[in-house]
Amino acid sequence: MSLQRIIIHWTAGTYSVHDLDREHYHFIVGGDGTVTAGIHKPEANLSTRDADYAAHTLHCNTGSIGVSMACMGNAVEQPFSTGPWPMKEGQFKVMVAKVAEMAKHYGIPVLPTTILTHAEVEPTLGIKQRGKWDITRIPFRPDLVGHKACGDFIRAEVAALMH
Ligand SMILES: [Zn+2]
């Protein structure tokens, strides 16, 4: 048994990290770029048969590390509006660095099936989610639209940091 993938989220909240975020994700990057560790260690998600694990992705928590960015509260997918707490570029860069560090530490390859956003879980892994659109928009890269464009961009950034 090993940790097989990293799933990237936003909290759909403010730039602050709250206790509920710490319950659901292994790491959360605040709006100021500070990384806060969750209550559960990544290893807690090796098994989800007990209650001690971070529940961040419906039916896809076993072997999955959850990294999130505190932002995008009150954002609207269509027509797109960032809301009052748009994802910041600095915050995004810290997330990329954290994902690269985790990928290296746990030997997780940078592939669409192993490092992916929450929005890619349904189309890529075939595990139905409830309308989750994190991350199909990156406010400072408005040219990237949709789960594939954003996911590919994130993977390229992670891979660039690792090499
Ligand atoms: Zn999510």
Side-chain angles (χ1 to χ4, degrees):
M1 280 293 280
S2 60
L3 290 163
Q4 296 155 36
R5 69 187 75 78
I6 302 171
I7 300 174
I8 299 148
H9 304 257
W10 61 48
T11 59
T14 69
Y15 288 137
S16 303
V17 177
H18 298 282
D19 284 346
L20 194 63
D21 303 322
R22 296 190 59 236
E23 173 62 36
H24 288 285
Y25 307 107
H26 295 108
F27 297 98
I28 311 103
V29 185
D32 62 358
T34 304
V35 178
T36 301
I39 291 159
H40 308 279
K41 296 207 177 320
E43 285 79 5
N45 281 50
L46 285 169
S47 164
T48 53
R49 275 171 292 186
D50 55 18
D52 175 28
Y53 68 94
H56 54 87
T57 306
L58 188 65
H59 299 143
C60 192
N61 290 304
T62 310
S64 299
I65 301 171
V67 177
S68 194
M69 292 172 282
C71 58
M72 301 300 274
N74 292 345
V76 177
E77 184 177 12
Q78 206 65 260
F80 179 58
S81 160
T82 64
W85 302 281
M87 182 199 304
K88 296 179 180 179
E89 188 162 9
Q91 178 177 32
F92 177 89
K93 286 200 158 118
V94 172
M95 176 278 289
V96 166
K98 192 69 199 171
V99 170
E101 180 197 319
M102 292 291 105
K104 213 167 233 180
H105 183 80
Y106 293 104
I108 298 170
V110 185
L111 299 170
T113 51
T114 52
I115 293 184
L116 67 164
T117 69
H118 195 178
E120 291 179 297
V121 168
E122 186 169 321
T124 303
L125 301 180
I127 301 168
K128 189 116 182 70
Q129 302 297 305
R130 295 191 184 120
K132 298 293 183 175
W133 60 289
D134 54 331
I135 293 163
T136 54
R137 289 284 192 160
I138 297 172
F140 56 89
R141 283 295 304 267
D143 54 313
L144 303 174
V145 178
H147 62 85
K148 182 165 171 27
C150 293
D152 285 346
F153 175 63
I154 291 168
R155 280 182 290 277
E157 294 282 297
V158 170
L161 262 194
M162 289 176 73
H163 295 137

